[in-house]
Amino acid sequence: MNDFVTPVLRALDALDQPLDLFIRDDDAGWSDDTLLALLDVTARAGVPIDLAAIPLAVSPLLALELNARIDAMPGLLAVHQHGCAHLNHQAEGRKCEFGDARDAHRQRADLMGGRLLLEGCFGARLQRFFTPPWNRCAEFTPSLLAELGYRALSRDRGAPRQSALPELPVDIDWSRQHREGGLPQVAHGLATAVRARGRLRQPLGLMLHHAAMSVDELDALGQALSAWARHPQARWRAMADLIASAAPATPPHVRFH
């Protein structure tokens, strides 16, 4: 375990100022037991986590549990929209729910329908952010999101540039790194990202997919977060705080219903 935790601690040691980090866990609505186990892990470490929730997958029972946890742990848990049904609509190429295979009219219907479902589950607790499934969307989607009152977008660091919304990208996909090389690969990727984001004074985003994580991975994450969270150069923050500090307020004429 030390071989997993230490590279990130050393990368943090080398920074000349504290680094903001955040965790985004995708696909809330799937594998509820594993999701709640993950939330126990982050709560014990005192680290905020943002859930990207699939509107058509969130059950009333899960919503009840998440609402209780949000209220009990202010600032440590938040929920935002993750697509609508998490379905691939591309006939060819890479998977995408909000890709160029569907026009703005169809995308708008799914965005608004999904948002209404999540508002019914979470009310005012729902954050005004959007994470597209598979971390990609059509070129026109960010402008559509802005038109509908969304406040921010979160995709991969390498996603095409857009100017319609503030963006808070993720840098490390835990599941992909773990699949390719286990915990050492996760540690190497995180340490590299710490150095890169530190040089550029940018927040670092860690993306999780709880449904793909084993019990052993959750245990490893918990031990690592406990160590990383105590480091004076690591500031684990909620996405809302990072967006608030980096972006102007939503214009008064744009409303999020």
Side-chain angles (χ1 to χ4, degrees):
M1 178 56 63
N2 286 338
D3 291 340
F4 170 50
V5 174
T6 302
V8 177
L9 294 177
R10 287 177 176 167
L12 289 167
D13 286 339
L15 298 180
D16 59 8
Q17 70 176 33
L19 175 68
D20 290 327
L21 306 95
F22 70 94
I23 297 176
R24 196 193 81 201
D25 175 62
D26 289 4
D27 305 333
W30 294 349
S31 302
D32 292 356
D33 289 346
T34 308
L35 172 59
L36 298 181
L38 169 62
L39 297 184
D40 290 340
V41 164
T42 56
R44 283 194 295 270
V47 172
I49 184 169
D50 283 83
L51 304 182
I54 305 168
L56 285 171
V58 175
S59 69
L61 188 60
L62 177 62
L64 186 67
E65 175 66 23
L66 292 181
N67 283 331
R69 289 180 180 237
I70 291 170
D71 293 344
M73 301 184 297
L76 289 182
L77 177 60
V79 179
H80 67 270
Q81 187 175 347
H82 189 38
C84 183
H86 206 301
L87 293 176
N88 175 35
H89 293 293
Q90 299 295 111
E92 57 184 24
R94 303 175 77 187
K95 293 180 178 180
C96 195
E97 185 173 20
F98 289 84
D100 57 13
R102 305 175 77 226
D103 60 22
H105 176 75
R106 290 191 176 97
Q107 289 199 20
R108 182 182 288 106
D110 274 0
L111 289 169
M112 295 178 67
R115 188 169 75 190
L116 286 172
L117 286 172
L118 290 182
E119 287 179 335
C121 291
F122 302 108
R125 300 177 185 87
L126 182 66
Q127 298 284 347
R128 295 183 285 175
F129 310 148
F130 185 77
T131 291
W134 297 287
N135 283 283
R136 60 183 72 101
C137 58
E139 185 177 349
F140 62 81
T141 306
S143 294
L144 179 58
L145 291 165
E147 173 192 323
L148 293 174
Y150 290 82
R151 188 179 171 196
L153 176 64
S154 184
R155 299 179 293 175
D156 284 328
R157 176 71 62 182
R161 291 183 177 275
Q162 55 83 30
S163 58
L165 283 173
E167 187 149 0
L168 194 58
V170 292
D171 298 275
I172 295 296
D173 180 344
W174 172 293
S175 293
R176 185 175 68 185
Q177 298 281 344
H178 191 272
R179 187 168 59 248
E180 292 177 353
L183 291 178
Q185 180 73 17
V186 177
H188 173 75
L190 267 171
T192 300
V194 165
R195 289 189 288 269
R197 294 309 111 209
R199 284 193 300 270
L200 296 172
R201 307 287 196 262
Q202 295 172 335
L204 187 158
L206 171 61
M207 175 174 60
L208 305 178
H209 290 87
H210 65 272
M213 297 179 74
S214 67
V215 172
D216 288 344
E217 284 180 78
L218 290 176
D219 288 343
L221 175 66
Q223 294 180 53
L225 284 179
S226 294
W228 297 338
R230 293 194 299 269
H231 197 287
Q233 296 289 70
R235 297 187 302 207
W236 293 88
R237 303 182 64 187
M239 289 175 66
D241 292 338
L242 292 171
I243 290 295
S245 62
T250 303
H253 66 280
V254 176
R255 302 182 63 187
F256 186 83
H257 299 289

